[in-house]
Amino acid sequence: QGLAIRYPERVTALVLCDTAHKIGDDALWNMRIETVNTKGISALTDSIMQRWFMPEYRTPDNPDFVGYTAMLTRTTTDGYAGTSAALRDTDYTELTRKLKVPTLCLGGDHDGSTPPSLMRELASLIEGSEYTVIENAGHLPCIDQPARTASVISDFLGRTL
């Protein structure tokens, strides 16, 4: 999204998946930064995984879920705090209105990080954009529903490019 805003001549189509023009508010990100700095990433892990994945995916016998959890918990404190600060400080609301390329906005129907209402709002900022909800998917529909996600993206790109 930022690339398309900064260098529109380099982008012919755009797929925005489980993102937004503005995610959360200062209080949310400041709380996460404070928590990770004082208690570590483990204090946030369960709540993050609940926002990212469907309940049936979040089981200790799912090796992929265990792997994604390990990936998150290996994130450094500075890395997580820095990413949180970047998200806190990024507001593409007005700049997103200037996007003039074919755009697909899609997200999981159970996304707890960038819920469908936020994705719909993002799509409404981009004239002519398409909006698709991936059923039975959380924040990472490419993991929860890989075939459906790939199909939606492929169809969009096939019609667009």
Side-chain angles (χ1 to χ4, degrees):
Q1 189 175 350
L3 176 76
I5 289 167
R6 287 181 182 84
Y7 305 102
E9 70 282 0
R10 296 181 183 180
V11 178
T12 56
L14 190 59
V15 175
L16 300 175
C17 185
D18 296 274
T19 189
H21 49 291
K22 174 70 175 157
I23 300 171
D25 58 22
D26 289 0
L28 169 83
W29 295 113
N30 289 337
M31 181 275 304
R32 288 191 188 175
I33 292 167
E34 175 68 20
T35 300
V36 77
N37 282 329
T38 59
K39 298 178 182 175
I41 192 74
S42 62
L44 297 170
T45 301
D46 286 343
S47 65
I48 291 170
M49 296 317 237
Q50 288 172 11
R51 286 190 301 277
W52 284 5
F53 294 107
M54 300 287 291
E56 56 273 14
Y57 191 87
R58 297 188 319 262
T59 62
D61 62 335
N62 178 348
D64 291 337
F65 177 71
V66 171
Y68 291 123
T69 303
M71 182 179 66
L72 175 66
T73 59
R74 290 181 184 140
T75 303
T76 66
T77 298
D78 287 345
Y80 189 86
T83 300
S84 294
L87 287 166
R88 176 196 64 206
D89 298 342
T90 299
D91 185 344
Y92 285 152
T93 304
E94 292 309 313
L95 293 172
T96 296
R97 295 179 199 279
K98 297 178 182 181
L99 289 172
K100 302 296 181 201
V101 297
T103 302
L104 170 65
C105 299
L106 72 123
D109 64 341
H110 290 90
D111 184 346
S113 293
T114 52
S117 60
L118 187 57
M119 288 295 303
R120 194 175 309 107
E121 185 179 334
L122 171 65
S124 76
L125 297 174
I126 306 168
E127 186 178 332
S129 69
E130 297 179 25
Y131 170 65
T132 300
V133 174
I134 304 295
E135 300 292 327
N136 299 312
H139 186 59
L140 301 166
C142 58
I143 294 169
D144 287 325
Q145 298 293 335
R148 175 72 178 131
T149 303
S151 174
V152 168
I153 293 171
S154 180
D155 179 59
F156 170 75
L157 294 175
R159 289 182 285 105
T160 305
L161 300 179

